[in-house]
Amino acid sequence: MSSAIPLNVGIVRSVAGDTDSPKRVLLAEPRGYCAGVDRAVVTVEKALEKHGAPLYVRKEIVHNRHVVETLRDRGVIFVDETDEVPPGAVVVFSAHGVSPAVHESAAARDLHTIDATCPLVTKVHQEAKRFARDDFDILLIGHEGHEEVEGTAGEAPEHIQLVDGPDSVDRVTVRDENKVIWLSQTTLSVDETMETVHRLRARFPNLQDPPSDDICYATSNRQTAVKAMAPACDLVIVVGSRNSSNSVRLVEVALGAGAKASYLVDYAREVDPAWFEGVRTIGLTSGASVPEILVEGVLELLAEHGFGDVQPVSTANETLVFSLPRELRAARG
């Protein structure tokens, strides 16, 4: 669900090489936590309150170093698979979702599961099951090895083929060109995904679209905000972790939209002041799994280097909130 607001949001473009123009920061809005990430992090916090430490979480609850390290300090134990969890213990499934095989493995060990899967990821799982029941070939656009892709593909492995970007299209084979549909990982680049779909449709003209957008509203909105400010930026700094797909995509989107340079950092201390050489306008945003305190740290650093003028660039207003898993709803508030 990309923003309908046009990309011309009234940003004054600085002239290249104009050393008299003031230093400034264009601060993207929206940025940071999406509803699914907020729900997942609060789920772990409430589960800690209810069950105490140690609390087990399969995979990283969200792809952010700061969040994971903070929860680990509070007694969360992150594991790769359910067989690392003691029988009968409580385990939280991450926001990225899991396959039916993981649920079965947890049940076999008598684990008490709390599912923090983002509801928008769950929607894609339901689509995969529906079209598998109808015997479609499902072309899942996403990145090989990503946890969300593994979870979705596990819903119907005999029907799903992974399409990892436009260059993978030529390797796709289907049984019936009249029964083909594409789905996607929720955190992809909107533009690259549509390029992949365009190439798929050139091969399979009757390719069907998903019932609704699979790329999540937050991913689309953050990319739209970056596109709006990038042409005016000498540098775009994206706060986010390297294993965060949506954060990595923001760097790519910034460069593709006209930013002269763009870098991904987890913390303000990773920002290299050498990047500021000849720079008058810096764009700043953060991925959907990034707490705002990390953005504030970068803003403080930029102010120390003369970039104290902060101008918001707003392209959407996000109000969506997801309820907690039912096991924890009574514990909230």
Side-chain angles (χ1 to χ4, degrees):
M1 286 178 279
S2 58
S3 168
I5 298 175
L7 297 188
N8 180 5
V9 289
I11 302 172
V12 178
R13 267 53 175 167
S14 56
V15 179
D18 181 6
T19 57
D20 294 327
S21 61
K23 292 182 177 181
R24 62 177 180 168
V25 177
L26 300 181
L27 184 61
E29 295 180 357
R31 63 183 179 277
Y33 270 15
C34 63
V37 164
D38 183 64
R39 174 182 185 268
V41 174
V42 173
T43 291
V44 175
E45 292 172 342
K46 294 298 182 182
L48 271 173
E49 292 176 11
K50 182 175 182 178
H51 299 286
L55 176 73
Y56 293 87
V57 176
R58 183 185 181 274
K59 306 292 188 181
E60 295 185 353
I61 185 66
V62 296
H63 286 158
N64 183 263
R65 278 175 56 192
H66 175 80
V67 171
V68 169
E69 290 168 1
T70 300
L71 291 173
R72 186 177 284 123
D73 289 343
R74 294 180 57 186
V76 172
I77 298 175
F78 293 94
V79 299
D80 285 329
E81 299 298 343
T82 51
D83 60 11
E84 300 172 55
V85 182
V90 177
V91 62
V92 179
F93 293 146
S94 79
H96 307 103
V98 299
S99 70
V102 173
H103 285 284
E104 292 166 7
S105 172
R109 295 182 66 78
D110 195 29
L111 302 181
H112 301 280
T113 61
I114 301 174
D115 194 348
T117 301
C118 173
L120 298 180
V121 174
T122 299
K123 178 186 77 73
V124 181
H125 281 229
Q126 296 302 325
E127 290 171 350
K129 290 190 286 187
R130 168 188 163 188
F131 287 101
R133 284 195 301 268
D134 292 338
D135 202 31
F136 274 73
D137 281 328
I138 301 166
L139 308 182
L140 177 60
I141 302 173
H143 295 303
E144 186 172 3
H146 192 279
E147 290 150 39
E148 182 186 328
V149 165
E150 292 177 348
T152 302
E155 293 287 1
E158 69 282 3
H159 286 271
I160 293 177
Q161 292 179 65
L162 178 63
V163 184
D164 195 344
D167 294 338
S168 299
V169 169
D170 291 342
R171 296 191 289 274
V172 174
T173 60
V174 302
R175 296 168 299 157
D176 181 350
E177 294 188 6
N178 294 311
K179 295 193 72 172
V180 186
I181 188 165
W182 69 273
L183 304 176
S184 82
Q185 181 180 330
T186 62
T187 54
L188 300 179
S189 159
V190 176
D191 293 338
E192 182 179 343
T193 300
M194 296 320 297
E195 180 185 350
T196 303
V197 172
H198 178 75
R199 292 198 191 183
L200 285 169
R201 185 159 281 123
R203 288 198 59 200
F204 310 113
N206 294 326
L207 177 72
Q208 294 191 31
D209 295 324
S212 60
D213 288 346
D214 282 349
I215 295 179
C216 90
Y217 76 96
T219 298
S220 298
N221 287 347
R222 280 147 192 71
Q223 291 176 16
T224 297
V226 167
K227 287 179 183 178
M229 70 183 186
C233 295
D234 303 303
L235 166 68
V236 172
I237 296 173
V238 178
V239 184
S241 295
R242 280 159 180 75
N243 64 337
S244 166
S245 178
N246 77 89
S247 298
V248 172
R249 300 291 84 73
L250 288 174
V251 173
E252 297 171 354
V253 168
L255 293 171
K260 296 180 178 67
S262 183
Y263 299 98
L264 181 68
V265 300
D266 266 297
Y267 300 101
R269 63 177 180 265
E270 296 175 3
V271 174
D272 186 348
W275 298 344
F276 305 153
E277 183 67 30
V279 168
R280 312 304 296 178
T281 299
I282 296 176
L284 179 61
T285 189
S286 59
S289 51
V290 177
E292 184 64 10
I293 189 172
L294 301 182
V295 175
E296 293 169 359
V298 174
L299 284 172
E300 292 173 5
L301 175 76
L302 294 178
E304 292 170 3
H305 287 82
F307 293 90
D309 179 16
V310 179
Q311 302 172 14
V313 177
S314 180
T315 56
N317 182 31
E318 295 179 353
T319 59
L320 184 64
V321 176
F322 293 133
S323 60
L324 288 173
R326 65 179 182 276
E327 302 94 332
L328 299 171
R329 286 174 197 168
R332 195 170 196 179

